[in-house]
Amino acid sequence: MTESSISRREFLQRSGAAGAVLLLPGLLAACGTAEEATTTSAAGPIDLAGSKIKVGTYGGFFEENFAAIYPDFTAETGIEVESISQPTSEAWVVQLEQAAQAGAIPADVSMLSVVGMLRAMKGDILAGFDEATLPNSQYLAPGFVRKDDSGLVKGVGAVSWYITLVSNTDRVAESPDTWTALWDPQWADSLTLLSQPGNAFLLEITAVSFFGGKEILATQDGVEEVLAKLAEVKPNVKLWYRDEATAQQALNTGEVAMGQFYHDITEYAASQGEPLRSVFPKEGAILDSGEWAITKTTENLAACQVFINWMCQPAVQARLARTLGTSPTVAKEHMDLTDEEYASFSGPGPDAAIRPDYRIYADWEDWINQKWTEQIFSE
């Protein structure tokens, strides 16, 4: 067996399974808290063939491509997947919280942004489990297994994506290569930017572009100083967007000339003939990630773990990159991606990217939202 793929036989051997039946005694013994392990029944082996789980990912092109992969998972494991189209993590976490209170399970597994993960963990709506149940986590790059204070896994890297400087080629002959262009008066009433602080990461962009780095965000006084600078960009913004489909349409048609947008979607749209280009700014593109998380109230914890472990395979991550244009969460050395392919997904790579300061959105969420509204959306 090579590192780039895990055969069905190897998978079943690791899982202690035989034939079409998945036997997971070790997995169950290691699952989460004692209460959670009890709900999935206990010490004996369990047949997961025929199990059904609901998996949520962001809607549109993203969800469609993930759904196309699930039949292969079912063929290997016997576990059926119903693909669910979910909104942004911010909205989805609220729905999961409300559903949990009502005893409903809109999805057994969800893809959440890091900020969404932190909110979900704070709301105690996610299952925790032992990393030993995910043998394929060995292939993940550092930082893609999120644990709580007790050491239980809460989130596992699904895919990463870059937010870059995207422009309409009909309106912008030569794209700027710096985020500071967003403040240039020549783009008055021409830009589109994400409207939520927790997924726009414009605080980080502003800090790196005008304050020498993210260190200024360590204090609330510093955040306010950065917000004041960011507010100067308002005359240039024609569209503040929550829904990426809205921004994509505006960029495709030239309603807006330029803005911050997703590299993977832009590259796909450009390949389909849309007049778009994506540029990695010299200060660094924003690198954000989606993580798989299991809803605490699931009745199929073991099947959810098998699903996440399957998605961590290097071959699956390489397939996602080639299909979606996303940046893999598996370390590059384990995959068969060429350097050219990897560069097309990841530009100059994660070392050159701006990593969001997730701490401020977790610790100061209400305060930042209030200040954001006052500074960005006030007249």
Side-chain angles (χ1 to χ4, degrees):
M1 191 191 92
T2 66
E3 284 189 318
S4 63
S5 66
I6 294 181
S7 68
R8 171 171 165 72
R9 184 177 62 178
E10 171 74 4
F11 178 84
L12 295 179
Q13 285 174 340
R14 288 183 176 185
S15 300
V21 178
L22 296 178
L23 307 174
L24 302 166
L27 184 152
L28 288 174
C31 288
T33 64
E35 180 182 354
E36 289 164 350
T38 299
T39 61
T40 56
S41 90
I46 175 175
D47 179 2
L48 295 177
S51 300
K52 296 181 181 179
I53 58 174
K54 297 178 181 178
V55 177
T57 56
Y58 305 121
F61 172 68
F62 209 74
E63 186 265 336
E64 291 171 7
N65 281 279
F66 269 93
I69 289 177
Y70 299 154
D72 289 348
F73 168 74
T74 301
E76 289 191 23
T77 65
I79 300 171
E80 297 182 21
V81 175
E82 179 183 348
S83 183
I84 302 296
S85 176
Q86 67 182 53
T88 63
S89 293
E90 290 77 6
W92 189 237
V93 169
V94 172
Q95 292 184 34
L96 290 175
E97 289 174 335
Q98 294 173 340
Q101 293 172 0
I105 308 174
D108 299 282
V109 180
S110 298
M111 184 186 295
L112 300 178
S113 67
V114 176
V115 172
M117 275 296 305
L118 297 175
R119 289 173 179 167
M121 290 175 68
K122 186 182 294 185
D124 193 27
I125 61 172
L126 303 180
F129 51 94
D130 196 295
E131 188 176 353
T133 62
L134 301 174
N136 289 333
S137 68
Q138 66 180 302
Y139 301 120
L140 296 176
F144 282 118
V145 177
R146 183 179 303 280
K147 298 180 179 179
D148 63 14
D149 293 339
S150 69
L152 293 175
V153 175
K154 292 288 188 175
V156 179
V159 291
S160 292
W161 52 77
Y162 287 89
I163 298 174
T164 59
L165 199 54
V166 172
S167 56
N168 179 292
T169 56
D170 291 336
R171 290 194 57 179
V172 183
E174 183 176 354
S175 176
D177 64 353
T178 170
W179 288 117
T180 61
L182 300 178
W183 281 258
D184 191 325
Q186 74 166 304
W187 303 113
D189 197 32
S190 299
L191 305 181
T192 183
L193 301 177
L194 282 151
S195 64
Q196 300 299 303
N199 64 6
F201 306 119
L202 284 164
L203 290 173
E204 288 86 341
I205 288 173
T206 307
V208 170
S209 299
F210 294 99
F211 296 92
K214 296 184 295 182
E215 290 76 11
I216 192 172
L217 302 176
T219 66
Q220 291 189 346
D221 286 344
V223 170
E224 289 199 86
E225 190 174 349
V226 173
L227 263 173
K229 181 62 184 178
L230 175 59
E232 295 175 7
V233 82
K234 290 193 294 184
N236 287 356
V237 181
K238 184 170 187 175
L239 173 66
W240 291 96
Y241 71 94
R242 281 175 175 263
D243 177 3
E244 63 192 44
T246 302
Q248 183 176 358
Q249 180 67 14
L251 284 163
N252 289 353
T253 61
E255 177 185 352
V256 295
M258 192 169 64
Q260 59 163 177
F261 198 61
Y262 298 97
H263 173 71
D264 51 318
I265 297 173
T266 301
E267 289 293 290
Y268 175 77
S271 74
Q272 302 302 302
E274 298 294 347
L276 301 179
R277 77 164 70 83
S278 172
V279 171
F280 284 72
K282 62 183 182 183
E283 297 89 353
I286 291 290
L287 176 57
D288 195 14
S289 298
E291 297 182 0
W292 296 118
I294 302 175
T295 306
K296 187 176 183 178
T297 50
T298 181
E299 297 177 351
N300 298 292
L301 180 57
C304 295
Q305 290 168 301
V306 172
F307 170 81
I308 293 174
N309 187 60
W310 190 88
M311 295 298 293
C312 290
Q313 293 179 88
V316 173
Q317 280 288 309
R319 178 179 174 182
L320 285 172
R322 291 181 172 120
T323 304
L324 287 164
T326 47
S327 186
T329 55
V330 164
K332 183 174 181 292
E333 61 267 26
H334 296 306
M335 294 179 295
D336 62 354
L337 298 175
T338 66
D339 290 343
E340 183 178 7
E341 285 178 318
Y342 191 80
S344 70
F345 309 138
S346 306
D351 291 342
I354 300 174
R355 303 294 186 105
D357 188 347
Y358 297 113
R359 175 194 58 83
I360 64 176
Y361 305 106
D363 294 348
W364 302 334
E365 178 182 2
D366 292 340
W367 179 82
I368 283 183
N369 286 338
Q370 178 186 341
K371 293 296 181 181
W372 183 274
T373 299
E374 293 172 358
Q375 288 276 17
I376 304 302
F377 294 123
S378 63
E379 294 296 332

